[in-house]
Amino acid sequence: MDALVQQRRAVAAAVRARRDDFGARFSRRLREAVPEYYAVDETDLQEAGWSAMYVLVDGALDVLAGATPPTTLDRSLADEAAAAARSNLSWELIERTYRLTHQALWEEVFPVLAELRLPRADQALLLRQVSDVFFDHFYRQAEAAR
């Protein structure tokens, strides 16, 4: 198996292993960065948002590990968008949560990459691959949810 494929899988597995901690940290970050999202007193929005966050993260990690990118919008992302619309939240606010999820997930990669202790050239190539996968995945999902 190609070394880059193995490295991508290793990054995906290591970040996935930190998933629960990621979720807790991300929830705090979202509450600070987008308080309007949590100001809505709608249980279905909060539940859909929590599920959507994990769908975005898991989907990006799946593609990083070698899965085919999804061609349709996951139901939980559609549910979040619908709940936000019912709550009169703008699409821009939901899109901001996608960007924050992407940013937070990207930040999870750096400590994992340090643990892999790759040569500088391999590290740069892997970072480009992770970046390409994450940007493509989040862009596709945000566009599909729009």
Side-chain angles (χ1 to χ4, degrees):
M1 184 182 309
D2 178 57
L4 184 57
V5 171
Q6 288 177 337
Q7 292 162 357
R8 285 175 55 156
R9 288 181 178 167
V11 169
V15 172
R16 194 179 309 276
R18 302 170 188 215
R19 183 181 188 264
D20 291 337
D21 291 337
F22 168 83
R25 283 191 306 277
F26 179 72
S27 178
R28 287 190 300 273
R29 175 186 253 174
L30 187 61
R31 283 182 188 279
E32 293 170 7
V34 191
E36 309 94 316
Y37 188 88
Y38 285 97
V40 174
D41 189 23
E42 295 288 337
T43 302
D44 64 333
L45 174 64
Q46 303 306 321
E47 289 175 7
W50 191 250
S51 178
M53 183 270 298
Y54 280 121
V55 163
L56 283 169
V57 168
D58 291 342
L61 295 175
D62 288 347
V63 174
L64 185 62
T68 302
T71 57
T72 59
L73 185 66
D74 186 275
R75 180 75 188 161
S76 67
L77 297 170
D79 290 347
E80 180 188 35
R86 285 191 304 274
S87 300
N88 294 319
L89 291 177
S90 68
W91 169 250
E92 289 76 21
L93 190 129
I94 297 302
E95 192 172 41
R96 210 160 93 209
T97 69
Y98 278 43
R99 285 193 310 269
L100 284 169
T101 306
H102 180 182
Q103 178 184 7
L105 181 59
W106 182 239
E107 290 170 3
E108 291 294 311
V109 170
F110 293 113
V112 169
L113 198 59
E115 292 167 8
L116 291 177
R117 298 180 183 198
L118 299 172
R120 195 176 207 68
D122 292 348
Q123 189 178 59
L125 182 58
L126 181 57
L127 279 171
R128 279 193 296 277
Q129 290 272 311
V130 171
S131 178
D132 288 348
V133 167
F134 285 4
F135 275 100
D136 182 65
H137 181 72
F138 279 85
Y139 174 79
R140 285 175 186 253
Q141 293 301 296
E143 284 300 305
R146 189 181 288 261

